[in-house]
Structure formats: structure tokens, C-alpha cells
Amino acid sequence: MRGANRGRVVAITVVIAFHAAIGYYLWKSKIEVKFQEYQDQAVKVNLLKPPPPPPPPPPPPPPPKNMPPPPPVQPRPPLAPPPNVIPPPPLPIPPVPKPVPPPPPAPTIAHVAVISNPDWLRKPDPDDMTRYYPDRASRLNKGGHVRMSCQVTASGTLTSCSVLSEEPADMGFGEAAISLSKMFKMRPQTRDGAPVGGASIVIPLTFNPPADE
């Protein structure tokens, strides 16, 4: 029994010493700081000059004088079709129908107001009628009747007059009526309190032969 206890004590002592050695080694490797020194070494570099560029190539020689022109290019003759080959039938191409133009638009008819009861501010007087009386009708002592259509301006005067009927037709009463149209002036029509033009009016004129003095 005494020998067994002695061997057990020796084994425990060896184990404790072994663990103590391992612990010391681990503690020493973690705590101890290792320094490493570095030194800068200068590197000597020799710069080499680049070689000079090569000389430029010499210019091409000039073309020779009196050089004959190149021969003309001969066109290649067309190839003859191979014999015993039937050409393909022509493709049926239907005719292209011509587009039908659309019908012209219907003309727009502008509504023009017609004045039937004018309020005249000025009309030709007998002296004006005598001044513009046709000479031929005056010499023949002929009278006449004219209906003319005019447009009324915003100021009440007449413009764009045309003869609708003239009796007789060969005495110059139509031209006399056109000349007398500048003597007419009416009170213009108003729209929203402002005078407006553009309305039309039909004016009958009767020419009586001037009385002999």
C-alpha cells in the first residue's frame, strides 16, 4: 500500500509540473513582444536617353513626263443566254386604279343683310341729276330708269355699286347712276352700339328730261 501511494504522488507531481510548464510557455508567448527592425535601402537608377527618331523616308519620284494614257477599259460583252432554256412567264400585274378625286366642296354663301328701309342723310338733288344726266338722252329729250345695287360702309356711304337694270339700255343712264352713287349717304346700321358696314341696298333712280329754259 505504501508503494502504491508513493507512485500515485509521483504521477500527480509529474502531471502538475507538466501543466505548469505548458501554462508558462503559453503566458510567455502571449506577453513577450518581438520587435523587427527594417532598414531603407537606396536604389540607384540610371536614366537612359531615348534613341533619336529615324529619318523621314525620301519623297516619291515625280511621274515621268509624256507618259502615255492608260488603255481604255473594254466593257465586258453580255453573256448569251444558255440554249434550250424557256424564259419564265411574265408575272400578272394588275393595273393600279387611279384615285378618284373628292368632289369639290359646296360654295359657302355668305348671308348679306339687305336694307329695305334706309334712313337717308343725303341724296342727289335736282342739280346733281342735271349735272350727271347723259348728253345723248338730254339731246333726244329721253328719260330713263335704273336699279343699282350697292354696299353700305360703316360711315353710311355707298361702295361697290353695280347696275341691275337699265331702261333704255343705250342712253348712258347706268353710268350716270354709278356716278350719282357718291352723292348718297345714309345713317349706318349699328351692332352693340357701334356702326357696322357690309349690308347691301337696291336703289331705284328715275331720270326725267331736264325742262327747257
Side-chain angles (χ1 to χ4, degrees), residues 133 137 141-145 167-168 171 173 207-209:
Y133 205 90
N141 198 25
K142 294 285 185 178
H145 183 76
E167 296 178 3
M171 290 292 174
F173 289 110
F207 292 85
N208 296 317

Side-chain angles (χ1 to χ4, degrees), residues 1-2 27 30 41-42 45 49 68 76 86-87 89-90 93 110 112 120 123 137-139 155 170 174-175 193 211:
M1 290 296 292
R2 186 176 296 177
W27 177 81
K30 291 184 178 180
Q41 295 180 0
V45 179
K49 294 183 179 180
R76 180 179 296 178
I86 301 176
I93 301 177
V112 179
W120 294 111
K123 295 176 64 175
S138 178
R139 291 194 304 268
S155 61
D170 57 349
E175 297 178 0

Side-chain angles (χ1 to χ4, degrees), residues 169-209:
D170 57 349
M171 290 292 174
F173 289 110
E175 297 178 0
I178 298 298
S179 300
L180 287 170
S181 63
K182 60 184 179 181
M183 304 293 178
F184 287 88
K185 186 175 182 179
M186 61 178 294
R187 194 180 306 277
Q189 292 183 327
T190 59
R191 182 180 301 166
D192 296 333
V196 293
S200 64
I201 185 172
V202 177
I203 302 175
L205 280 178
T206 301
F207 292 85
N208 296 317

Side-chain angles (χ1 to χ4, degrees), residues 4-195:
N5 292 333
R6 186 178 180 182
R8 186 179 297 174
V9 172
V10 172
I12 294 174
T13 304
V14 172
V15 172
I16 294 174
F18 177 74
H19 282 81
I22 292 177
Y24 177 77
Y25 174 75
L26 294 176
W27 177 81
K28 190 69 174 177
S29 61
K30 291 184 178 180
I31 301 302
E32 186 178 0
V33 179
K34 297 179 180 180
F35 296 95
Q36 187 175 359
E37 295 182 358
Y38 296 92
Q39 293 181 0
D40 295 335
Q41 295 180 0
V43 180
K44 186 176 182 181
V45 179
N46 295 327
L47 298 178
L48 300 178
K49 294 183 179 180
K65 296 182 179 180
N66 301 327
M67 186 177 179
V73 178
Q74 298 294 334
R76 180 179 296 178
L79 297 177
N84 301 327
V85 175
I86 301 176
L91 297 176
I93 301 177
V96 179
K98 294 183 178 180
V100 179
T108 57
I109 302 175
H111 178 71
V112 179
V114 179
I115 300 176
S116 58
N117 189 17
D119 183 6
W120 294 111
L121 300 178
R122 185 180 67 237
K123 295 176 64 175
D125 55 17
D127 293 337
D128 297 329
M129 300 291 291
T130 302
R131 187 183 314 118
Y132 290 100
Y133 205 90
D135 293 338
R136 183 184 178 190
S138 178
R139 291 194 304 268
L140 297 177
N141 198 25
K142 294 285 185 178
H145 183 76
V146 176
R147 293 177 69 252
M148 66 176 177
S149 174
C150 301
Q151 287 186 354
V152 183
T153 65
S155 61
T157 58
L158 305 182
T159 183
S160 302
C161 296
S162 60
V163 176
L164 299 179
S165 62
E166 175 185 2
E167 296 178 3
D170 57 349
M171 290 292 174
F173 289 110
E175 297 178 0
I178 298 298
S179 300
L180 287 170
S181 63
K182 60 184 179 181
M183 304 293 178
F184 287 88
K185 186 175 182 179
M186 61 178 294
R187 194 180 306 277
Q189 292 183 327
T190 59
R191 182 180 301 166
D192 296 333

